[in-house]
Amino acid sequence: MSLSKLSLAALALAGSTAALQPIYAKGQKFFYENGTQFFMKGIAYQEDELPGGGPLPSDVEFIDPIADTAQCRRDVPLLRELGVNTIRTYAIDPDADHDECMALLDRAGIYVVSDLSHPKLSINRDAGEWNLALFDRYKAVIDELAQYNNTIGFFAGNEVTNNATNTPASAYVKAAVRDTKQHIIDQGYRWLGVGYANNDDPDMREDIAHYFNCGTPEESVDFWGYNIYSWCGESTMERSQYDDQVEFFTDYGVPVFLAEYGCNQVEGGAGGRIFQETGALYEDEMTEVFSGGLVFKYQNETNDFGVVTIARDGRATRMDSFEFLAREHANANPTRVQADDYESDFTTPSDCPARSDHWEAHQVLPPTPDRDLCECAVAASLCGPSGELEDEEMQSIFDFICENDAAACAGINHNATTGVYGAFSMCGQRHKLAYVMGAYYESQNQAADACDHGGLGEVKTNTAESSCEEPLASAAAVNEEAATATEGTPRPTGTGSGSNDEDGESFGAPSAVFTRVFALGDVAVGLYMLVAGAAGAAMVML
């Protein structure tokens, strides 16, 4: 069934005079600005394939789902028909124009929570970093979406740590949480939450939840998203282990919601989903702890998780599961509290998890990316590249210096297991290279051949301004301590960080595209690819 022009016109007229009330968090719950409790009735909204199927062209990194106005005009009425009040986007272009889509969503009573990364610029679970390029990207997304009342907040990561082998990556994500939260404060924005979306891995799901909720409020999450697919078809709280999640998160200090749910391991796949768990999600047993959830996902693609199919000509057709989800959303009427009547007792953060076979991330976090400090290091270096270098050339210099003078590389090393980070570990590859070349040159008493590196290096003049003196002195003290502490990570690799990528980072295993195995309460699910993929008091859409 295609979308009619009549339904689009009706949507355009509905609620056109007022903007949605902003959402904020208090203790373990979300509230509208007027103090009424808010529950997410949401869905993931991100196309990862071309209409009708097929991969994106090689020159297209991702599709921004809220920049395509024709798509928004097609889908927003359907989202409203679904009873959705929140969408989750996994990647947006901060330089695109989102005004029309965000206005359409606003008039339909729909909020947005967005991931900050994109498929080729995200924290690498197997070689984690928190650096200038990532921070710039995250800030740009925040700055773009902060202008809209119907933005709830952001995910600093999605399943970056997805099993016990890559838990150190969580330290870099938590640093991203800390720094993006501070950016929101520095910019004077209203409350906008920064959280994390975690998978349901039994070995580390408790440790990681505590890790992101421990420490100071400045570095802990504002909300927790839980990606869980354990309720398949007809089930129960006990058989799906939803009851265990309610028990575990009962005393968690921030709002918790299902950031992805909707098992497709049923007869008929995505189209056979009946969304029985959606009804349970808004019953008292769960709403005491959970603030709703986000179905995965709207568009049906190769991974078979949608409720709508998109034809090659762009027409949207409701699947059978669409009607089930719409019915469950319509019937849901969760018990709410008013903010003034809600006494939040969640003032004590979680205890940070101890190091174990299942958890290795240290509670000491990487430094905040500081472009000025990185530029100071380059300006002060007495040796640097003789020109623009290729990845392999940069790597050969890193290899030589770090093998022959470990202390020269202490300032760029980082180890999230020991909590030891060089002061320049957050810099780009260009900055790091200039720093280590200068450090090695000086350690060799400025020997004539210590800066040559086969013609790739040349002696420089210190051009650092006086304002660099104090931060460079502080950085030197940090690096001296790092040199004598537990050894950091090996020297940088050139992967994904050539001379035209000044703030370089490696993208060997970006978290936006991932493979996982679910052990569900009702059924064992095999390996598959998942691509990470009106207003005012009168309109309170739950």
Side-chain angles (χ1 to χ4, degrees):
M1 182 184 296
S2 62
L3 181 62
S4 70
K5 293 181 179 179
L6 180 60
S7 63
L8 179 59
L11 174 62
L13 290 173
S16 60
T17 60
L20 284 175
Q21 297 178 40
I23 302 298
Y24 70 95
K26 178 183 179 182
Q28 204 176 22
K29 303 182 186 301
F30 289 118
F31 294 93
Y32 291 95
E33 192 174 50
N34 69 0
T36 300
Q37 188 178 357
F38 172 80
F39 290 92
M40 289 184 182
K41 290 182 179 178
I43 198 162
Y45 184 66
Q46 186 93 34
E47 285 185 296
D48 297 308
E49 299 175 357
L50 294 173
L56 300 179
S58 59
D59 60 339
V60 176
E61 293 179 330
F62 60 90
I63 298 173
D64 183 338
I66 53 173
D68 186 332
T69 56
Q71 176 176 299
C72 291
R73 290 170 185 164
R74 178 196 69 197
D75 291 337
V76 170
L78 287 171
L79 291 169
R80 189 175 186 182
E81 186 181 332
L82 273 172
V84 163
N85 69 2
T86 309
I87 61 168
R88 176 183 178 183
T89 60
Y90 288 78
I92 70 144
D93 178 1
D95 296 323
D97 185 351
H98 300 101
D99 286 352
E100 184 167 349
C101 283
M102 291 299 285
L104 285 167
L105 290 165
D106 187 287
R107 289 195 293 270
I110 298 173
Y111 293 86
V112 175
V113 59
S114 184
D115 289 46
L116 292 170
S117 63
H118 71 67
K120 293 189 177 180
L121 189 52
S122 58
I123 296 174
N124 186 325
R125 64 167 60 98
D126 295 318
E129 285 191 48
W130 175 233
N131 56 36
L132 292 172
L134 287 164
F135 195 22
D136 285 349
R137 157 73 190 182
Y138 285 25
K139 288 186 292 185
V141 173
I142 291 170
D143 292 344
E144 171 60 14
L145 294 183
Q147 64 183 303
Y148 304 109
N149 271 10
N150 53 333
T151 299
I152 294 175
F154 310 94
F155 287 111
N158 180 70
E159 301 191 9
V160 179
T161 290
N162 65 350
N163 60 56
T165 68
N166 48 43
T167 61
S170 285
Y172 301 99
V173 181
K174 192 171 180 181
V177 170
R178 175 199 64 203
D179 295 340
T180 50
K181 287 178 64 169
Q182 188 60 48
H183 177 72
I184 290 168
I185 293 171
D186 291 344
Q187 297 302 306
Y189 297 142
R190 63 174 173 84
W191 186 90
L192 291 164
V194 180
Y196 179 76
N198 186 52
N199 69 317
D200 186 33
D201 185 281
D203 287 339
M204 56 81 190
R205 63 189 174 198
E206 294 187 7
D207 281 341
I208 194 171
H210 288 313
Y211 182 76
F212 278 92
N213 192 42
C214 75
T216 66
E218 291 76 16
E219 66 185 25
S220 57
V221 290
D222 295 317
F223 55 73
W224 186 252
Y226 194 26
N227 300 344
I228 182 170
Y229 294 81
S230 61
W231 191 307
C232 293
E234 294 184 1
S235 188
T236 64
M237 291 285 293
E238 295 75 22
R239 196 166 62 187
S240 66
Q241 300 176 355
Y242 270 39
D243 60 336
D244 293 338
Q245 308 313 321
V246 171
E247 180 180 1
F248 174 75
F249 285 108
T250 293
D251 295 322
Y252 206 66
V254 298
V256 181
F257 56 91
L258 303 188
E260 290 178 8
Y261 77 96
C263 171
N264 65 352
Q265 300 301 301
V266 294
E267 185 176 353
R273 295 189 291 180
I274 61 174
F275 292 109
Q276 185 188 54
E277 68 270 43
T278 301
L281 185 56
Y282 301 101
E283 296 291 337
D284 288 351
E285 185 175 357
M286 291 204 72
T287 57
E288 286 294 319
V289 175
F290 282 82
S291 293
L294 302 155
V295 168
F296 192 83
K297 58 185 268 183
Y298 176 77
Q299 303 95 335
N300 198 48
E301 298 178 318
T302 301
N303 55 18
D304 194 31
F305 270 97
V307 296
V308 168
T309 60
I310 309 297
R312 288 186 182 275
D313 63 4
R315 287 179 300 155
T317 303
R318 300 165 183 81
M319 300 169 65
D320 290 344
S321 54
F322 182 103
E323 308 299 339
F324 282 96
L325 181 58
R327 186 181 308 126
E328 292 294 340
H329 277 161
N331 291 336
N333 185 26
T335 303
R336 295 179 300 225
V337 299
Q338 292 295 314
D340 290 344
D341 298 328
Y342 173 57
E343 297 295 332
S344 174
D345 297 326
F346 303 104
T347 56
T348 303
S350 302
D351 292 329
C352 290
R355 186 173 178 180
S356 68
D357 291 341
H358 302 303
W359 192 259
E360 293 189 315
H362 203 283
Q363 65 189 71
V364 175
L365 303 180
T368 300
D370 182 342
R371 186 173 299 278
D372 290 341
L373 177 59
C374 297
E375 294 295 348
C376 282
V378 173
S381 178
L382 298 179
C383 176
S386 58
E388 298 291 340
L389 304 185
E390 298 294 332
D391 283 357
E392 295 78 8
E393 294 171 325
M394 296 174 68
Q395 190 62 54
S396 69
I397 299 175
F398 279 127
D399 287 345
F400 174 80
I401 293 176
C402 295
E403 288 174 359
N404 289 280
D405 186 1
C409 290
I412 64 170
N413 284 345
H414 50 98
N415 190 320
T417 299
T418 62
V420 177
Y421 309 94
F424 304 114
S425 60
M426 49 72 190
C427 294
Q429 296 295 78
R430 176 179 66 86
H431 306 111
K432 291 177 180 178
L433 185 64
Y435 168 74
V436 299
M437 291 177 74
Y440 178 74
Y441 180 58
E442 293 192 54
S443 75
Q444 301 301 308
N445 299 314
Q446 300 182 19
D449 61 349
C451 186
D452 183 73
H453 301 286
L456 299 178
E458 63 182 11
V459 174
K460 306 280 188 179
T461 300
N462 185 339
T463 59
E465 298 180 359
S466 59
S467 58
C468 290
E469 292 180 7
E470 185 174 342
L472 285 176
S474 297
V478 170
N479 294 339
E480 183 177 354
E481 183 175 350
T484 58
T486 304
E487 183 180 358
T489 57
R491 54 197 170 274
T493 63
T495 305
S497 52
S499 57
N500 60 351
D501 182 11
E502 293 185 347
D503 304 327
E505 57 289 312
S506 297
F507 304 125
S511 62
V513 179
F514 48 89
T515 308
R516 59 187 178 186
V517 177
F518 289 123
L520 304 182
D522 294 343
V523 63
V525 179
L527 193 67
Y528 67 93
M529 294 300 295
L530 179 58
V531 185
M539 172 176 271
V540 181
M541 292 185 64
L542 296 176

